[in-house]
Amino acid sequence: AQSVAQPEDQVNVAEGNPLTVKCTYSVSGNPYLFWYVQYPNRGLQFLLKYITGDNLVKGSYGFEAEFNKSQTSFHLKKPSALVSDSALYFCAVRDQSYNTDKLIFGTGTRLQVFP
Amino acid sequence: DSGVTQTPKHLITATGQRVTLRCSPRSGDLSVYWYQQSLDQGLQFLIQYYNGEERAKGNILERFSAQQFPDLHSELNLSSLELGDSALYFCASSPYGQSTDTQYFGPGTRLTVL
């Protein structure tokens, strides 16, 4: 079965510093990978996705993610963090096994950006 | 704003009761998904509909059911509610329900079962 892992429950970073939120995946076949962000009391907002093509995917709000097949990783990055980036980040993989078509989400990583 | 709407925002009810959650997908999207977010289970896929037909089922309890209507809005019915059903319920929509589609999420309905 497909799965994603987010090894860090929380990531702390100072405003202006680069940030990385880690995600590793386990899939059979081609991975379709997604990043979503959840602000307090809000729904999930789509940031970016990898389907095929360039390993560096650019998304919303200055975020990007690097697909690394050899390391089975899809880490989310931003060159310069903002306090307003503080939120809960979810990595997800598309799963079409057992006649289903759904997103499987990681457990989430809370990003805290300090002024 | 994703364009997906969900009502109500909050629901407080008692054990044993039945509730209905409603979702309107983005204009033009044919597929609707339901997810449950709870502290202990994280985000879990419940069920998917495409153009009125059930397409995929996940970890949905028998006490729960859903449908998608001809105007493409969807309803999730939860019955014989238990304390453990307290959670955030999200609806998402996508254009064609294909694996490369992006799913856009609504703001969620927070269900509290007392």
Side-chain angles (χ1 to χ4, degrees), chain A residues 32 36 38 49 94 101-102, chain B residues 37 97-100 102-103:
Chain A
Y32 296 156
Y36 285 83
Q38 185 177 25
K49 67 181 177 183
R94 200 60 169 251
D101 186 3
K102 60 186 183 287
Chain B
Q37 185 180 32
Q98 294 177 353
S99 56
T100 54
T102 296
Q103 293 182 24

Side-chain angles (χ1 to χ4, degrees), chain B residues 1-6 23-27 29 91-93 104-107:
Chain B
D1 184 2
S2 66
V4 178
T5 60
Q6 289 186 247
C23 167
S24 292
R26 292 187 324 155
S27 177
D29 283 359
C91 166
S93 74
Y104 292 92
F105 283 73

Side-chain angles (χ1 to χ4, degrees), chain B residues 21-36:
Chain B
L21 282 55
R22 183 189 168 103
C23 167
S24 292
R26 292 187 324 155
S27 177
D29 283 359
L30 298 177
S31 195
V32 168
Y33 308 76
W34 286 97
Y35 292 85
Q36 180 194 56

Side-chain angles (χ1 to χ4, degrees), chain A residues 23-75:
Chain A
C23 172
T24 58
Y25 65 89
S26 173
V27 304
S28 53
N30 294 322
Y32 296 156
L33 297 159
F34 300 77
W35 275 103
Y36 285 83
V37 59
Q38 185 177 25
Y39 296 99
N41 300 314
R42 303 279 295 276
L44 279 75
Q45 294 181 31
F46 170 73
L47 283 178
L48 50 81
K49 67 181 177 183
Y50 173 82
I51 304 299
T52 186
D54 287 341
N55 290 341
L56 187 63
V57 180
K58 293 194 183 294
S60 307
Y61 313 120
F63 284 93
E64 58 190 27
E66 187 171 6
F67 173 71
N68 188 316
K69 190 172 183 179
S70 62
Q71 296 186 5
T72 62
S73 67
F74 188 56
H75 299 333

Side-chain angles (χ1 to χ4, degrees), chain B residues 27-58:
Chain B
S27 177
D29 283 359
L30 298 177
S31 195
V32 168
Y33 308 76
W34 286 97
Y35 292 85
Q36 180 194 56
Q37 185 180 32
S38 61
L39 281 174
D40 54 345
Q41 299 281 345
L43 263 165
Q44 299 277 320
F45 167 74
L46 295 178
I47 198 163
Q48 179 201 5
Y49 280 83
Y50 175 76
N51 206 20
E53 300 288 328
E54 181 184 306
R55 179 172 271 192
K57 232 172 184 176

